[in-house]
Amino acid sequence: MKHSPDHAALNAAIENVHRAGMPGLFAEVRDGDQVWRGAAGVADVDTGRPVTADMRHRVGSITKTFTAAAVLQQVESGRIGLDTPIGRYLPRLVPAERGDAITVRMLINHTSGLAEYLPYAYSSLKAFPALAETGPQSLDDHRLTRFDPVELIGMGVTAPAVGTPGGTPGVYSNTNYLLLVQLLEEVTGETAEHCITRNVIERAGLPDTELPTGPYVSGPHSQLYESWFGMIDPPRDYSVYDMSWVGPSASLISTVTDLNRFFGMLLTGKIVGPSSLAQMQRTVPVVSQEGKTIDYGLGLHPMEVPGQGTFWGHGGTVWGGGALSMTRADGKRQMSVAVNLQRWNTLDPSGRPRPHPIDDALATLYRVAMHG
């Protein structure tokens, strides 16, 4: 296995993503003590302010790995049973037979059968996953909306089920993780934000990572441009946004350096114990929000890389921003990439996203980052 990131190839690959249409992106690749950091493009299309590799960024559902780790810590302490029905902890939120049938594990690995609440909270997205019948109007409506997580959970629990508890393939749903947030608060007696901050973020020593309390990203950061499949043209900046629509399931602010540090520590047993990590790496098939069937564990997703073994990590998106962080199973080779445009693909006449040059350019960057 190579132990030195190819700086020239990485510089070329990240620049090619920008040339393909990404306003700005930045990344860090590590292999042991060898580090490459790079950035290409702009953080603000109006002023031309450049992106830099140390910027803070909304990393979306990468937050789920932090939340899952906090839950596994409580499993280790005996406060939570991984295969205990959620109804024993939160009977009002998941009542009756469903509460008895859905376990904590099923929430973490998205096999609960609970629907995604988002199309019910955002009126213009109600036709999701029929993308052509959705619209971006409600994204503006909710810039500063302070959502009640219990109300959001209620939307997902009362919506038609998307599967049977424990059945596969599971279906990716933020409802699951908002329930895990409530579970953490029930068993610890404190907010999930405090629990995750103290037990995961501070334990990992992540100085630039936080769960936000307001709509702003503090410190150096990029604007976040949302296209919603070409329906917002030009793409609109959503960097100022109240993140209560996802809470501690997808609201984390971090840096590519902090993400690599976190996943490196997680995969070498420094955040949860070896038995918990083994549970996190037990995967089932899950249908992602993009409609693809992926392998998913307890807040971790694997990627097989030829000649390099298995990488583990998570991706995430918010309105306008995205990130992907993957670390090889031995904790040494690592990649974290952040981008400032989302849903750049326009739709074909059948309503499916058209291929875009950004897709291939990003795939090349990931490939070079993980084994180039």
Side-chain angles (χ1 to χ4, degrees):
M1 293 183 182
K2 281 187 169 184
H3 293 286
S4 297
D6 186 333
H7 290 216
L10 285 163
N11 288 334
I14 198 169
E15 187 63 38
N16 283 340
V17 181
H18 170 54
R19 288 176 181 161
M22 179 63 62
L25 71 159
F26 46 101
E28 180 186 88
V29 176
R30 288 182 168 268
D31 203 322
D33 59 358
Q34 300 295 311
V35 182
W36 169 88
R37 295 185 186 93
V42 298
D44 188 324
V45 298
D46 292 328
T47 67
R49 175 171 58 93
V51 287
T52 58
D54 60 348
M55 283 183 161
R56 304 181 82 227
H57 196 72
R58 298 195 191 278
V59 300
S61 284
I62 292 175
T63 315
K64 289 181 172 61
T65 312
F66 288 69
T67 301
V71 172
L72 267 294
Q73 289 172 345
Q74 298 304 316
V75 172
E76 292 174 356
S77 73
R79 293 191 183 96
I80 293 174
L82 196 53
D83 294 303
T84 299
I86 191 61
R88 294 195 193 169
Y89 302 106
L90 304 171
R92 293 183 180 177
L93 296 183
V94 193
E97 293 179 3
R98 291 177 96 185
D100 293 335
I102 296 170
T103 66
V104 174
R105 183 192 301 273
M106 294 173 197
L107 296 175
I108 310 176
N109 69 10
H110 296 292
T111 59
S112 69
L114 293 172
E116 171 64 59
Y117 62 79
L118 193 56
Y120 302 91
Y122 281 72
S123 59
S124 67
L125 305 185
K126 60 182 177 293
F128 189 87
L131 298 176
E133 298 172 27
T134 67
Q137 299 84 353
S138 53
L139 275 60
D140 274 338
D141 296 340
H142 292 306
R143 275 183 185 269
L144 299 178
T145 299
R146 196 68 186 165
F147 283 104
D148 180 344
V150 172
E151 290 182 5
L152 295 175
I153 290 168
M155 295 174 190
V157 171
T158 58
V162 294
T164 57
T168 56
V171 177
Y172 192 96
S173 169
N174 283 296
T175 305
N176 294 316
Y177 274 72
L178 284 193
L179 278 163
L180 293 171
V181 168
Q182 295 298 310
L183 173 62
L184 281 173
E185 297 189 351
E186 176 70 21
V187 302
T188 65
E190 62 179 351
T191 67
E193 287 87 348
H194 286 157
C195 174
I196 295 166
T197 298
R198 185 183 67 250
N199 296 335
V200 181
I201 296 172
E202 292 178 358
R203 183 170 181 171
L206 310 179
D208 295 308
T209 299
E210 67 174 336
L211 290 162
T213 56
Y216 299 97
V217 180
S218 61
H221 64 279
S222 174
Q223 311 304 100
L224 300 176
Y225 297 102
E226 180 61 50
S227 175
W228 196 258
F229 307 102
M231 297 179 207
I232 307 177
D233 187 19
R236 191 171 302 140
D237 171 32
Y238 285 109
S239 56
V240 176
Y241 212 93
D242 189 299
M243 297 301 292
S244 59
W245 64 280
V246 281
S249 70
S251 64
L252 198 73
I253 295 169
S254 191
T255 63
V256 290
T257 297
D258 273 10
L259 289 178
N260 279 341
R261 177 175 174 82
F262 166 70
F263 280 103
M265 294 185 72
L266 178 69
L267 290 170
T268 51
K270 297 181 177 70
I271 305 298
V272 300
S275 62
S276 293
L277 181 59
Q279 293 287 344
M280 294 181 80
Q281 293 175 318
R282 285 178 54 186
T283 65
V284 294
V286 169
V287 179
S288 73
Q289 289 186 321
E290 292 76 35
K292 301 175 182 176
T293 300
I294 62 173
D295 293 324
Y296 197 89
L298 301 185
L300 281 176
H301 164 58
M303 289 177 64
E304 297 295 331
V305 179
Q308 294 288 310
T310 304
F311 281 66
W312 293 89
H314 213 291
T317 68
V318 295
W319 309 134
L324 177 66
S325 188
M326 302 300 296
T327 290
R328 199 169 60 205
D330 62 7
K332 293 181 179 177
R333 185 72 175 214
Q334 301 187 271
M335 168 198 80
S336 290
V337 179
V339 300
N340 67 1
L341 173 70
Q342 276 303 302
R343 286 157 282 271
W344 52 79
N345 307 82
T346 58
L347 302 179
D348 66 20
S350 65
R352 290 189 296 255
R354 288 187 177 96
H356 191 288
I358 289 175
D359 302 326
D360 289 339
L362 270 177
T364 298
L365 173 60
Y366 298 154
R367 185 168 61 250
V368 173
M370 287 192 278
H371 63 88

